[in-house]
Amino acid sequence: MVLLSRLSTYLVPLIYFLVALSWLIHSNWVYYGSGFVIILLAISIFSITRQAGDVKVFLYEMIYPLLTQVIGLSFLVFLPKNYLFVIMIIFFAIMLYLILNEAFDRHHPFLGKTFDFNTNLQMVLIVALVFFMSVIGYNFVLYLNWALWFVSLVMIILIALLLLRLQGYKHKMDYIFVDIAVIILTMEVFYILYYLPVDLYLKGLIVAANLFILFKYIINKQFHKITKQYEFKEKT
């Protein structure tokens, strides 16, 4: 099972890359392929966390890879099929690999020194995902005629999940007021920018920059102890 878990950290990102790349050949393939990747992700996370024997741990570990896959493929919908499209596929595939690799190392520390996916690196991932979410949200409202309130509700749920994954499900109630403040301030910026005649990518960048500032001056002070959850030592 350990070998299967390790193999999945390489196999799932590769299949994700091929599925996203299939968009250039036949657009319908990506939808069926996405479902297949989600199944593989669930199998991979289950094989990694099976020793913990806790459903909460499984769901907790699914947050990062699942949102990375879904947000990545949703973002690709609005990209022209050129070199930038391929670059973004590679970016999301690498992020998926890093997330799965870190989860494997954390649940199998006896194999030696592991990659430290600490709070700072998680912060970068969350800020990047919020950027992509914002751009997707603006596109859905403007070009697909989705209701603004519905897109906002989805974003609130996704940001809440990312914050939960950052701080750890065992500490979820310790930082609830910080989480609420971060979500409110992020969505406030999202709403204000929606009514301004600014490029969508610039809007997404401003929303992500706002979140980064919140992390830098608020969350880092509250969550600095959580980094120790992701620190690993060499096998003695």
Side-chain angles (χ1 to χ4, degrees):
M1 187 60 73
V2 174
L3 180 60
L4 176 62
S5 300
R6 168 51 73 188
L7 182 62
S8 67
T9 63
Y10 300 100
L11 186 61
V12 174
L14 177 61
I15 294 177
Y16 173 86
F17 174 78
L18 295 175
V19 167
L21 204 61
S22 70
W23 220 326
L24 299 174
I25 303 172
H26 200 293
S27 59
N28 290 333
W29 291 359
V30 73
Y31 301 109
Y32 303 108
S34 297
F36 181 59
V37 173
I38 291 176
I39 294 174
L40 289 180
L41 274 177
I43 294 174
S44 176
I45 295 299
F46 175 76
S47 66
I48 291 173
T49 61
R50 61 184 294 272
Q51 292 181 342
D54 192 337
V55 177
K56 290 182 179 180
V57 176
F58 170 77
L59 296 176
Y60 169 76
E61 296 292 354
M62 278 291 292
I63 292 175
Y64 276 167
L66 182 60
L67 291 187
T68 299
Q69 184 219 358
V70 173
I71 292 173
L73 289 176
S74 300
F75 183 75
L76 293 175
V77 173
F78 303 100
L79 284 181
K81 304 302 186 291
N82 54 23
Y83 70 93
L84 180 59
F85 185 88
V86 178
I87 291 175
M88 293 309 304
I89 293 175
I90 296 174
F91 170 80
F92 284 112
I94 291 175
M95 291 306 304
L96 197 56
Y97 165 73
L98 292 176
I99 293 168
L100 292 175
N101 184 63
E102 181 275 334
F104 174 85
D105 287 342
R106 181 156 33 83
H107 286 276
H108 301 87
F110 56 85
L111 296 179
K113 188 175 181 178
T114 63
F115 178 74
D116 184 5
F117 199 61
N118 59 30
T119 306
N120 291 330
L121 291 176
Q122 292 188 72
M123 177 186 71
V124 173
L125 173 63
I126 292 174
V127 170
L129 290 179
V130 168
F131 165 75
F132 294 122
M133 271 195 291
S134 300
V135 175
I136 293 169
Y138 288 128
N139 275 290
F140 273 37
V141 173
L142 294 175
Y143 301 119
L144 299 183
N145 296 319
W146 284 33
L148 180 61
W149 68 266
F150 180 74
V151 171
S152 301
L153 178 61
V154 172
M155 286 190 62
I156 290 173
I157 294 174
L158 295 182
I159 294 174
L161 287 174
L162 291 173
L163 292 175
L164 170 64
R165 179 60 179 82
L166 172 68
Q167 66 196 33
Y169 68 90
K170 293 182 180 179
H171 303 271
K172 59 181 178 296
M173 297 306 296
D174 298 344
Y175 309 101
I176 186 169
F177 293 110
V178 177
D179 292 351
I180 292 174
V182 169
I183 293 172
I184 290 175
L185 292 173
T186 301
M187 296 311 300
E188 181 180 10
V189 174
F190 179 83
Y191 268 105
I192 293 173
L193 292 174
Y194 172 74
Y195 296 101
L196 298 179
V198 182
D199 180 77
L200 298 184
Y201 289 95
L202 180 58
K203 290 181 180 181
L205 187 61
I206 294 174
V207 174
N210 170 73
L211 186 65
F212 175 78
I213 293 172
L214 294 177
F215 271 121
K216 192 68 176 178
Y217 295 102
I218 300 177
I219 293 188
N220 276 357
K221 294 180 181 179
Q222 296 291 330
F223 294 167
H224 67 281
K225 295 182 181 179
I226 297 175
T227 306
K228 297 185 181 298
Q229 298 179 48
Y230 307 98
E231 291 178 351
F232 304 96
K233 298 180 180 179
E234 294 188 28
K235 184 178 178 182
T236 57

